Amino acid sequence: MNGISSGHGDLLAEARRWLAQDPDPDTRAELSGLIDRGDLDAIGDRFRTKLEFGTAGLRGELGAGPNRMNRVTVMRAAAGLAAVLGAGRHVVIGYDARYKSDVFARDTAAVLTGAGLHASLLPRPLPTPVLAFAVRHLGADAGVTVTASHNPPRDNGYKVYWGDGSQIVPPIDAEISAAIDAAGPVDRLPLHAPGTLTELGDEVVAAYIAAVTSLPLGEARDLRVAYTPLHGVGAATLGAAFRAAGFEPPVAVAEQRDPDPRFPTVSFPNPEEPGAMDLAVTLAAKLEADLVLANDPDADRCAVGVPLPDGTCRMLTGDEVGGLLAEHVITHTTGDRMVATTIVSSTLLGKIAQAHGVRYGETLTGFKWIMRAGPGLVFGYEEAIGYSVGSGAGAATSAVTGAATSTVSTDNTDAGLPVRDKDGIGAALTVAAIAAEAKRAGRTLLDLLDDQARRYGLHATSQLAFRVADLSLITTAMSRLRTTPPTTLGGRTVTRADDLADGDGGLPPTDGLRYFLAGDARVVIRPSGTEPKLKCYLEVVVPVEGEVAEARTHATTALDTLKTDLTDLLTP
């Protein structure tokens, strides 16, 4: 080590301090090896920065150091949460089946109980919506789930819910982050106070299933479903929910049915990624299924497909499913209700709300905002195949004659939402109910989409994403767009450009740009909040004056032209 600069010496000293407190033999061996080899680049990657705690909690690659997910990082996060909540508070803890998730969950319980809080631990790896449900069901002050959702196998994450059952928002995230920074070495934290940990049983899962089967599911039950949980934790809970609701349980893809943190059959365990649904589509053709459903690995999202006679499958977009779910919920509930979505989702929901005389809310991206759209929320969705479906219970009975648009509200009361977050199980059940009703009438979900296109115009949406290795490229691209905004996109004049960093319509500021285009089209560009991507959200609205298929062809051409222009605009 002779000749090492003072900066490198500081880095090695920091690594050795971390090593001294690390309780995990795996990451201790990893870091010891790097120190012994003098691999300063690898050590620097782990120690020169850290995973930042935000409203999405923590998410990152497993490994040693503050820039990785590991037991020290998790214990510090738990210490920060404990400091913000204070002694005597109650926290429910859940986890998925990724590498180390169960260990991280128990570490969280140990730190919280050692700090004088009460912790309740879910009985096994379970869907994230079960944890979100349990927070309110058990009257807890907060919840933690250990999951990286649909990230690659090498990742894990840590998400925090508040006592209302929804994800945290500012300033709570900043308070927890500051408390994390103030936490001392984890080997000095008190752990495991006797009598303050409750190991929950299946009763909480049964309560969740009872809640989601109380949704407006109609009476039709004749439906054959092919399903994949993508090696995640959804299969058992989804199957139990379908049985409890009176449906034949979906037939799961055998190769993807059981939890497996390797996710061996897919490149990315995300039902929206190319190839992820191939095995489910093949199974659907073999079964002659009526419907294809998928959950992401923590089962908070739901993908939907309609099998076609040629053995292929038409996968629905999140906006298409959102429109179908919204109209179903609205027509099966009464009272003063609200539906909500985000600024990057389709504008269709606002038109559905107006036609049915219910209130409409539009929020920033993320369910943490959707769930705060306003009182009487009976349905919320985001285009990234996330949905929360309500029963209408608790909706006021006063008449509403038009659809007022709301922004963020501090009133978090809802109209019978079992889960105040994305719920891939409840959404799957409700989609199955819609499909079964359609089948009884000799129709499919595709026919229902055509009906909506005729009523409201064809709202065609698509996405374009640019994955980067260097996050500075995203910052540079956004700065360039702000300095020199486009005047045309896809052959359409930009009629209005909004910099969402300035706030919009009462919404909090966010890093995003929105362009309204001539001919009823829109583009939103923003950095991803969870992945190293710059994302573009496209929408084209085409009136249906003849055949819907003709309008779809026109919309596809328009979206492709927009993608070409955006690719040219954003490629360095």
Side-chain angles (χ1 to χ4, degrees), residues 25-49:
D26 294 335
T27 47
R28 284 179 59 82
E30 171 196 335
L31 186 54
S32 294
L34 295 176
I35 293 172
D36 291 344
R37 293 192 300 274
D39 191 341
L40 297 175
D41 288 341
I43 295 171
D45 185 50
R46 289 159 173 77
F47 283 88
R48 285 200 174 98
T49 186

Side-chain angles (χ1 to χ4, degrees), residues 105-412:
R106 290 199 171 274
D107 281 341
T108 298
V111 172
L112 292 175
T113 57
L117 289 80
H118 183 84
S120 295
L121 185 65
L122 292 182
R124 59 183 177 277
L126 284 165
T128 291
V130 175
L131 178 280
F133 166 83
V135 171
R136 287 200 298 172
H137 177 68
L138 298 175
D141 298 291
V144 170
T145 187
V146 181
T147 180
S149 189
H150 54 278
N151 273 40
R154 64 181 182 273
D155 291 357
N156 213 327
Y158 196 86
K159 189 185 298 185
V160 176
Y161 293 80
W162 222 230
D164 63 355
S166 61
Q167 296 179 48
I168 59 171
V169 295
I172 298 169
D173 60 324
E175 294 171 9
I176 296 173
S177 182
I180 292 170
D181 290 341
V186 300
D187 57 344
R188 299 179 189 174
L189 294 174
L191 305 175
H192 299 297
T196 54
L197 173 63
T198 299
E199 303 263 3
L200 297 170
D202 283 339
E203 67 280 353
V204 69
V205 182
Y208 166 78
I209 290 173
V212 296
T213 53
S214 297
L215 295 171
L217 302 177
E219 298 178 354
R221 293 293 183 269
D222 179 19
L223 196 72
R224 184 174 299 168
V225 180
Y227 168 71
T228 177
L230 289 179
H231 302 292
V233 297
T237 305
L238 182 134
F242 268 65
R243 284 190 293 271
F247 286 99
E248 179 183 339
V251 179
V253 174
E255 301 94 325
Q256 298 172 332
R257 179 182 56 225
D258 298 327
D260 188 336
R262 300 171 302 159
F263 305 108
T265 66
V266 293
S267 299
F268 285 91
N270 179 350
E272 293 183 290
E273 289 285 342
M277 296 297 297
D278 288 354
L279 291 177
V281 172
T282 299
L283 176 62
K286 179 180 178 181
L287 296 174
E288 297 183 352
D290 305 303
L291 186 67
V292 176
L293 294 173
N295 290 130
D296 65 338
D298 70 328
D300 65 348
R301 302 197 303 155
C302 176
V304 179
V306 177
L308 302 176
D310 63 359
T312 62
C313 182
R314 160 77 152 83
M315 296 302 301
L316 275 59
T317 68
D319 287 314
E320 288 174 330
V321 176
L324 293 177
L325 284 170
E327 199 140 35
H328 174 85
V329 171
I330 290 170
T331 56
H332 285 76
T333 57
T334 59
D336 181 6
R337 294 146 293 154
M338 168 180 270
V339 294
T341 190
T342 73
I343 56 174
V344 302
S345 300
S346 173
T347 57
L348 172 62
L349 184 60
K351 295 174 184 176
I352 292 173
Q354 184 175 26
H356 290 276
V358 303
R359 289 176 292 113
Y360 168 67
E362 193 170 281
T363 74
L364 297 183
T365 55
F367 260 78
K368 59 183 174 286
W369 299 115
I370 293 173
M371 291 297 100
R372 292 170 170 82
L377 186 66
V378 73
F379 174 73
Y381 95 94
E382 60 184 0
E383 44 68 43
I385 61 173
Y387 319 94
S388 184
V389 180
S391 65
T397 56
S398 61
V400 180
T401 57
T405 299
S406 170
T407 55
V408 177
S409 169
T410 56
D411 187 338
N412 292 351

Side-chain angles (χ1 to χ4, degrees), residues 539-561:
E539 180 178 40
V540 173
V541 182
V542 179
V544 178
E545 299 172 349
E547 294 294 324
V548 176
E550 182 179 342
R552 290 193 189 281
T553 299
H554 177 73
T556 299
T557 300
L559 290 171
D560 287 344
T561 304

Side-chain angles (χ1 to χ4, degrees), residues 151 466-471 474 527-535:
N151 273 40
F466 300 89
R467 184 179 291 271
V468 299
D470 180 358
L471 288 175
I474 293 177
S528 169
T530 58
E531 298 176 275
K533 289 180 177 180
L534 185 63
K535 303 181 77 171

